[in-house]
Amino acid sequence: MANFNIDADKNLTYDAIVIGSGISGGWAAKELCEAGLKTLVLERGRIVEHVVDYPTMTLDPWEHELRGGLTPEQKAKHPKGGRSGFIGAMNEHFHANDLENPYTEVKPFMWVRAHQMGGRSLLWGKQTYRWSDLDFEANAKDGHGVDWPIRYKDIEPWYTHVEKFAGISGEALGLPQLPDSHFLPPMELNCVEKHVKARIEKEFNGRNMIIGRVAHLTEPLNGRGKCQFRNRCDRGCPYGAYFSSNAVTLPAANATGNLTIRPFSIVQSVVYDEQKGKASGVRIIDAETGEDIVYKAKIVFVNASTLSTTQILLNSTSNRFPNGLGNDSGELGHNLMDHTYRVGAMGTVEGFEDQYYKGRRPNGIYIPRYVNLKDGPQSDKFVRGFGFQGGGGRSGWGAGGNQEDFGGNFKDGLMKPGPWEFFITGFSECLPYHENQVYLNKDVLDKWGQPTLSIDAEWKANELALNDQARKDAKEMLERAGLKDIMEFDNKHEMGFGIHEMGTARMGRDPKTSVLNGNNQVHGCENVFVTDGACMTSSSCVNPSLTYMALSARAANHAVSELKKMNL
């Protein structure tokens, strides 16, 4: 490895250990290293160096033996993650092997994992939205779940902090339910999207349609290049145009000289010191040699991704915490959430046949939540709400795949741009149900002999009611926007498809009903922090990753402050 220190010293007590190098782990590492703390990042998988380890970043389909298709051997490694439809030959190397990392579906649940440096920050959708007090106050107002221990004002400066470094492009709207970020210039809507936007905003008072707010650079930032509209992001971006730990936070942490990354480190547990009443380090299994090693540190950040973080905490038992670290409340593993989607409508748009666009913009449109707002329409069918993502474009030669025809005229026709099409799909909030849970399964062990997770979770009546309304609203909006050949769709799916797992180690005001306090510290073991999706107390209806970033930076700076005061 040319650029990162991977020589972890067994005899050295680090200032901080960060478990996981994805979106939240990368941010924690950056903030801790820049504050002067010698920081060890434990990564379950291999090192992936920015650009150097993106083998398919420039390949065209015809340069691949199977034109982008998976071999039977590759398919066999992903019997569960493959259901997502996201795994192809160009990105298969960034997806975890289901056979080596099994889990049990008590009810159907798709768990997409990425075990390498950078984790799922190499694969995520890059949609980035601030949450608002509509979200942070929701549990307290309608009684579902427990109250968040923070409000928007507590996290607002940390949103700005991470946005300025990550680079977020988008359009300001001034909506209270969707606060504006510190924006780079927005990407541009195409002609049909501009047309549909104008019609929807005219026909529906209080509804807005904007270009998506995304962690893609639209102008150079800190040595990173701007987006080239290739839409090959899931292979790794050689320009560093989208935010990933590999391109952004870990290089910054490494530049301080305080970072050590140890790859192939399967974290078995956080080690609890019964006499001192706090964590003393982290026990790992070397994935290649099977060696058992304990690394020591003053503080530990657990950022292995939502369910893996909770798996580690459940496996971290002691006399003080016989049911898992921080599990005095019995809530560790419970309140699992995700986002519903794949419900909406699509249609064609006439009158723009002489207009075109260039490139593959890795972004679509966004319609913010408009129901159950303080000053908006209310529903008696459900609580919370939904937003829409989608976009417009012209079908291409691929449309011929579903047509029965042949010959020169058919081929010539496929080379012409097809009709303009437009679609929207709803993203709905999931409530935090205690019975939606994960727990350790000691009867099914992974490749390294560790207990695996059983996942028992499902959508309930409120999520299904939200979906039903989203489908009806989508059709009505497209109809009144003048689209033709409109089709509703409801591609019913189990939890996990949103790849927005949240909860299972929630923040809260009361140690009797939550796992973490308002600074993301484990109740009863305050030198352990959790800032990935596991910490979430509710799920909002907007994408959560920007909130993970802000919470991670906020918690890391609190940890540094407490260390200086000798409180940890």
Side-chain angles (χ1 to χ4, degrees):
M1 188 64 218
N3 294 324
F4 288 90
N5 175 23
I6 59 171
D7 186 18
D9 188 338
K10 299 178 187 177
N11 300 315
L12 182 64
T13 295
Y14 290 85
D15 295 319
I17 291 175
V18 178
I19 302 172
S21 60
I23 282 180
S24 63
W27 268 105
K30 172 186 175 296
E31 298 295 314
L32 296 170
C33 286
E34 290 181 342
L37 272 60
K38 293 293 184 184
T39 301
L40 174 64
V41 173
L42 297 170
E43 169 49 53
R44 184 181 181 94
R46 62 190 172 93
I47 292 289
V48 172
E49 188 178 0
H50 179 51
V51 181
V52 174
D53 294 315
Y54 302 159
T56 61
M57 62 185 180
T58 60
L59 287 183
D60 285 310
W62 52 87
E63 295 178 287
H64 184 265
E65 184 178 359
L66 298 179
R67 302 295 189 266
L70 293 170
T71 66
E73 293 76 17
Q74 288 174 318
K75 287 183 179 178
K77 292 192 295 183
H78 307 286
K80 296 194 175 186
R83 301 199 318 247
S84 69
F86 297 139
I87 304 177
M90 299 300 187
N91 64 21
E92 189 270 341
H93 48 286
F94 288 153
H95 287 267
N97 183 329
D98 288 335
L99 303 182
E100 294 181 350
N101 305 277
Y103 67 96
T104 301
E105 299 174 87
V106 179
K107 296 184 179 73
F109 189 98
M110 194 190 66
W111 188 12
V112 173
R113 293 160 291 175
H115 293 165
Q116 68 271 322
M117 175 178 153
R120 294 194 308 203
S121 78
L122 288 165
L123 298 168
W124 69 305
K126 278 77 74 180
Q127 294 287 315
T128 44
Y129 303 92
R130 291 189 182 195
W131 288 25
S132 70
D133 272 335
L134 179 70
D135 307 306
F136 291 113
E137 296 176 356
N139 287 4
K141 288 186 174 179
D142 63 30
H144 294 280
V146 299
D147 189 15
W148 278 87
I150 60 172
R151 290 293 185 263
Y152 179 68
K153 64 180 175 55
D154 298 309
I155 195 173
E156 181 180 14
W158 297 103
Y159 276 131
T160 303
H161 176 78
V162 299
E163 287 162 354
K164 287 183 175 179
F165 194 75
I168 310 299
S169 70
E171 174 188 355
L173 272 178
L175 297 178
Q177 72 270 32
L178 193 74
D180 296 327
S181 291
H182 178 88
F183 287 128
L184 299 175
M187 294 180 177
E188 186 178 5
L189 298 172
N190 63 42
C191 60
V192 157
E193 291 166 341
K194 291 176 181 175
H195 169 74
V196 174
K197 168 186 169 69
R199 290 291 299 268
I200 287 178
E201 293 181 352
K202 178 182 178 182
E203 293 285 330
F204 297 90
N205 183 37
R207 298 189 194 182
N208 299 274
M209 184 177 130
I210 56 173
I211 187 70
R213 297 171 175 177
V214 285
H216 288 280
L217 300 187
T218 50
E219 59 186 28
L221 178 68
N222 297 332
R224 298 160 53 203
K226 68 178 183 178
C227 179
Q228 302 297 306
F229 284 34
R230 303 182 328 137
N231 201 13
R232 292 176 170 177
C233 313
D234 60 356
R235 309 175 187 187
C237 179
Y239 306 94
Y242 74 80
F243 174 88
S244 68
S245 297
N246 311 63
V248 185
T249 47
L250 292 177
N254 193 49
T256 67
N258 292 322
L259 177 69
T260 301
I261 298 181
R262 191 188 193 285
F264 303 113
S265 301
I266 310 293
V267 173
Q268 195 270 345
S269 61
V270 176
V271 180
Y272 181 76
D273 187 319
E274 304 277 359
Q275 293 185 329
K276 295 182 179 178
K278 60 183 181 181
S280 60
V282 176
R283 182 183 301 280
I284 72 156
I285 300 168
D286 187 297
E288 295 184 306
T289 68
E291 185 180 7
D292 185 291
I293 304 170
V294 173
Y295 289 101
K296 297 181 179 179
K298 300 171 185 173
I299 57 173
V300 177
F301 272 69
V302 191
N303 297 85
S305 88
T306 298
L307 300 186
S308 295
T309 283
T310 295
Q311 184 175 3
I312 291 168
L313 295 178
L314 286 169
N315 213 31
S316 302
T317 57
S318 60
N319 291 331
R320 168 67 181 84
F321 295 109
N323 299 313
L325 186 67
N327 198 17
D328 290 342
S329 64
E331 292 296 329
L332 182 62
H334 294 271
N335 312 295
L336 174 59
M337 299 167 283
D338 186 24
H339 285 143
T340 75
Y341 84 124
R342 304 177 76 191
V343 176
M346 60 188 296
T348 59
V349 184
E350 298 177 344
F352 297 88
E353 289 74 16
D354 60 344
Q355 297 193 48
Y356 308 92
Y357 54 90
K358 182 180 179 182
R360 302 183 182 95
R361 187 191 66 200
N363 191 12
I365 63 91
Y366 190 68
I367 299 175
R369 174 177 163 181
Y370 50 80
V371 67
N372 289 341
L373 305 178
K374 181 180 178 181
D375 299 317
Q378 303 293 309
S379 174
D380 58 2
K381 300 175 182 175
F382 51 80
V383 297
R384 315 290 172 100
F386 51 83
F388 287 96
Q389 298 182 27
R394 303 191 72 162
S395 60
W397 63 270
N402 295 321
Q403 298 179 35
E404 294 182 359
D405 208 338
F406 65 96
N409 290 337
F410 176 62
K411 294 178 181 177
D412 289 343
L414 293 180
M415 298 305 294
K416 299 176 181 177
W420 280 94
E421 298 169 337
F422 183 86
F423 80 101
I424 50 176
T425 182
F427 278 70
S428 300
E429 178 164 359
C430 174
L431 296 176
Y433 303 103
H434 178 81
E435 56 269 35
N436 278 352
Q437 62 175 315
V438 300
Y439 51 88
L440 289 182
N441 184 344
K442 297 183 180 179
D443 295 325
V444 178
L445 305 181
D446 66 14
K447 179 182 177 180
W448 299 273
Q450 296 302 298
T452 57
L453 279 184
S454 288
I455 306 176
D456 183 2
E458 62 182 352
W459 306 123
K460 298 187 184 297
N462 198 68
E463 290 74 44
L464 298 179
L466 284 162
N467 270 2
D468 186 56
Q469 192 64 53
R471 176 179 53 79
K472 293 175 180 175
D473 284 8
K475 180 184 179 186
E476 183 184 16
M477 280 191 280
L478 299 199
E479 286 176 341
R480 291 170 62 177
L483 273 69
K484 307 295 183 183
D485 305 319
I486 297 170
M487 292 192 302
E488 298 173 84
F489 58 85
D490 184 354
N491 298 318
K492 299 181 186 301
H493 62 86
E494 67 264 33
M495 289 184 72
F497 260 88
I499 321 181
H500 292 164
E501 309 97 72
M502 286 175 273
T504 67
R506 66 186 180 192
M507 298 169 70
R509 298 177 184 275
D510 187 348
K512 295 179 181 177
T513 58
S514 60
V515 180
L516 309 172
N517 69 16
N519 289 306
N520 296 81
Q521 296 166 279
V522 170
H523 289 308
C525 188
E526 294 192 346
N527 69 332
V528 176
F529 296 75
V530 175
T531 63
D532 60 16
C535 77
M536 304 298 274
T537 311
S538 65
S539 66
S540 179
C541 67
V542 303
N543 302 57
S545 295
L546 183 64
T547 300
Y548 303 164
M549 297 186 204
L551 287 174
S552 298
R554 177 176 179 267
N557 282 269
H558 177 74
V560 171
S561 174
E562 290 298 288
L563 277 176
K564 290 179 178 177
K565 298 173 185 173
M566 307 292 284
N567 289 337
L568 296 178

